Amino acid sequence: MSNPDIIVIGAGLSGLCTALTLAQQNKHVFLIEQLDRFGGLCGQHDVNGHSYTIACNDFGNGMINSLKRLGVKTQFEKKKSRVFYEGETIDTPIDFMFLLKLMKSPQQFAALLKGIWQFRRTSPPLVTISDFTNAYLKPGRIKDIVEIPAYLMGTSPADFNLKYLAYETEYKYGYNNPGVPVGGPNQLVSDLVAACWDHGVTLLKNTKVTEVKEKGAHIEVTMNTAQKVSTISAAKVIDTRPHSKAYPPDTKQGMMLCQLRLLTKNHTFDSRYHTYLHYPKDGGNAMDRLDKGQWCAQFPFHFFPNPTSDNKYTAINVFFYQPRGITHLDEAKQQQLLDYILACIDKMLPKLSDSIVEHHFFDAQSFFDEFHQWPQVMPFIWHGNKPSNQTGSQHIFRGGHTAYPPGDHAGAAVLSAEIVSNLVMKETP
Ligand SMILES: Cc1cc2nc3c(=O)[nH]c(=O)nc-3n(C[C@H](O)[C@H](O)[C@H](O)COP(=O)(O)OP(=O)(O)OC[C@H]3O[C@@H](n4cnc5c(N)ncnc54)[C@H](O)[C@@H]3O)c2cc1C
């Protein structure tokens, strides 16, 4: 096996896009993945012949456009999400109907407008979404609705830094109108892998990188497979493994998502929608309690059906946050959660629970055992920045969603691939 020009460690979305970008510029690239599949947090997990999403499932326009530029042939379709809040529904992307619905609470709507106006005009020192809601809104409907983005980012409203919203615009992530890959996350991964093959990338799976060492003008990478330990060298290495250790030491870890997986038989979903979100009264407080490690009787969750080639069965992922510090659910807790979730689903999509033929929980511990990383939302960095794409070595670079640029989603992972590839190309003769 001849040594490559560049080694990319980790074949999640970021590693795949990095390898593809560099190979398209005539670099000989090795892409090394520890698991027996490519895609990292993107992909599907088959259980009893049914396919559940692993983690990411809808994607912003910024990322979709980057993939198009790379020539990845995956098609994306625009789908709505529907929020269920106290007997009413709100569809996103939001439109004029949303404003009309907010106007049903005229005093609080006026307070919201005043808050937004003052915030934009004088930029008072409001840092988080709960600073904003506490300053301008009374507990109730509008406050709850305004705090929903904190759930979407997996934080308590007290930890939702308003900069999250600024990043959306600054980096053009486009999550206000997301798309879902036709055929599901597996289709996206297999199209990326095929594009990598077509451009001559050498893809290695079941190969764990254990050491990255600088040796003069080269980098030596040691990797283990079940059969042997070997070393290869290259002029540049891009490491897309999690860089959480390079985060400022006071960074609070992200919360963990648990999955309840449901299998339905003969249920037809409305094809206009991708995600259904249950958001209870005072959902922000529920997120706050989960963040503090406490269960609460009512909590937000969302679910979505997976694309299926089987007309009869549909696999559904239900996502919700586990209290901080809890990674495993015992049977009694599972039953309690199941009862709550199914009771809510009954009100959201009345015929759905009758069609459920199978369920199982896939808690954070099971996720870790299967995929070797926690199902964790990346934390907001309060003091400092995400680790830079440069490491201080001319030969080793950081990529992936835990490196620059800011943002805590696949959009940031794919943008990091673009940025780090440009950096490497600039420094490679
Ligand atoms: C539950 C959940 C739901 C999410 N939903 C969404 C969503 O809907 N939309 C969205 O945009 N984002 C979502 N995200 C975030 C999104 O999944 C990630 O930001 C993105 O997939 C990260 O891609 P990546 O390539 O940076 O990292 P990863 O996907 O983590 O890839 C890193 C790869 O490196 C490999 N690796 C690690 N160590 C080694 C080693 N020593 N040797 C070799 N390989 C190694 C790993 O196995 C992995 O394949 C979600 C995240 C979670 C946890």
Side-chain angles (χ1 to χ4, degrees):
M1 190 155 63
S2 67
N3 281 332
D5 301 317
I6 298 165
I7 295 170
V8 178
I9 307 173
L13 286 176
S14 185
L16 285 161
C17 289
T18 307
L20 178 57
T21 308
L22 294 166
Q24 286 177 343
Q25 298 180 61
N26 300 320
K27 295 293 166 199
H28 179 206
V29 184
F30 271 26
L31 176 58
I32 307 176
E33 170 56 46
Q34 65 176 350
L35 298 179
D36 62 357
R37 50 168 286 280
F38 300 113
L41 290 169
C42 184
Q44 286 161 240
H45 180 215
D46 290 351
V47 181
N48 302 333
H50 300 287
S51 193
Y52 296 87
T53 290
I54 293 174
C56 49
N57 52 91
D58 59 359
F59 304 100
N61 260 338
M63 168 179 151
I64 295 172
N65 290 335
S66 299
L67 293 172
K68 261 191 215 148
R69 283 196 295 276
L70 283 173
V72 178
K73 61 179 193 198
T74 312
Q75 298 293 313
F76 287 83
E77 52 187 346
K78 294 286 174 194
K79 291 213 179 196
K80 290 169 182 271
S81 294
R82 175 158 271 194
V83 179
F84 293 77
Y85 171 80
E86 293 289 295
E88 66 177 304
T89 56
I90 300 164
D91 284 357
T92 64
I94 51 173
D95 55 15
F96 186 63
M97 284 304 292
F98 174 67
L99 287 180
L100 286 182
K101 284 184 178 178
L102 288 186
M103 282 180 209
K104 281 200 293 183
S105 312
Q107 280 182 351
Q108 284 301 291
F109 182 58
L112 173 66
L113 292 183
K114 183 178 161 204
I116 294 173
W117 186 73
Q118 281 191 359
F119 182 67
R120 293 182 78 114
R121 202 165 147 259
T122 57
S123 295
L126 301 180
V127 178
T128 67
I129 212 166
S130 65
D131 288 345
F132 179 87
T133 52
N134 290 338
Y136 296 109
L137 301 170
K138 294 208 173 82
R141 184 172 165 266
I142 298 235
K143 177 175 185 285
D144 287 346
I145 293 171
V146 169
E147 288 181 347
I148 290 176
Y151 169 75
L152 299 177
M153 291 309 294
T155 66
S156 150
D159 279 345
F160 183 100
N161 194 307
L162 292 167
K163 277 192 193 159
Y164 273 129
L165 303 175
Y167 294 156
E168 251 309 287
T169 323
E170 193 176 334
Y171 295 92
K172 300 188 174 65
Y173 286 131
Y175 276 86
N176 54 341
N177 186 12
V180 293
V182 175
N186 261 1
Q187 186 61 50
L188 168 57
V189 173
S190 72
D191 290 343
L192 267 166
V193 169
C196 283
W197 279 118
D198 286 350
H199 286 87
V201 175
T202 303
L203 292 114
L204 305 176
K205 59 183 171 183
N206 289 315
T207 307
K208 182 174 175 133
V209 169
T210 52
E211 197 176 8
V212 178
K213 214 164 56 186
E214 209 154 350
K215 265 221 157 153
H218 276 81
I219 301 295
E220 257 187 22
V221 171
T222 306
M223 49 193 194
N224 291 5
T225 63
Q227 291 79 32
K228 60 173 187 190
V229 177
S230 54
T231 301
I232 45 170
S233 66
K236 309 276 178 208
V237 168
I238 300 167
D239 191 350
T240 74
R241 291 175 295 178
H243 306 294
S244 325
K245 287 201 180 112
Y247 278 34
D250 63 347
T251 305
K252 190 171 167 184
Q253 285 300 302
M255 286 167 75
M256 291 195 195
L257 275 156
C258 181
Q259 298 182 30
L260 165 63
R261 288 154 165 200
L262 304 172
L263 186 69
T264 62
K265 190 173 172 187
N266 297 332
H267 184 86
T268 309
F269 284 87
D270 183 337
S271 60
R272 290 171 303 165
Y273 292 94
H274 173 61
T275 303
Y276 299 91
L277 164 59
H278 163 73
Y279 197 81
K281 195 170 173 190
D282 215 3
N285 185 39
M287 287 303 287
D288 202 43
R289 288 187 53 189
L290 292 166
D291 185 53
K292 293 191 167 87
Q294 299 157 14
W295 284 108
C296 36
Q298 302 202 11
F299 54 88
F301 65 84
H302 66 278
F303 64 93
F304 53 88
N306 288 280
T308 176
S309 48
D310 180 336
N311 288 332
K312 235 182 180 174
Y313 294 100
T314 307
I316 298 174
N317 285 71
V318 182
F319 279 121
F320 59 92
Y321 287 95
Q322 294 185 213
R324 188 176 283 285
I326 295 178
T327 54
H328 177 64
L329 305 177
D330 63 29
E331 272 184 31
K333 192 73 217 174
Q334 289 185 7
Q335 189 57 50
Q336 205 185 345
L337 294 168
L338 182 69
D339 291 345
Y340 170 71
I341 290 171
L342 292 187
C344 296
I345 287 181
D346 257 345
K347 292 188 194 140
M348 297 163 80
L349 302 182
K351 290 192 190 123
L352 181 61
S353 44
D354 291 342
S355 69
I356 297 169
V357 290
E358 208 177 285
H359 78 268
H360 68 273
F361 280 87
F362 194 64
D363 60 22
Q365 187 62 55
S366 315
F367 190 101
F368 183 83
D369 295 344
E370 184 72 32
F371 302 116
H372 302 199
Q373 63 173 307
W374 295 103
Q376 204 165 18
V377 178
M378 283 302 127
F380 185 85
I381 300 178
W382 288 81
H383 305 114
N385 297 305
K386 267 176 153 182
S388 152
N389 304 108
Q390 276 162 322
T391 60
S393 154
Q394 283 177 292
H395 309 290
I396 307 174
F397 298 81
R398 290 189 196 97
H401 68 149
T402 55
Y404 181 87
D408 303 283
H409 38 54
V414 170
L415 185 56
S416 91
E418 206 169 307
I419 295 170
V420 83
S421 304
N422 286 341
L423 267 176
V424 168
M425 283 309 295
K426 238 194 252 164
E427 296 192 13
T428 310

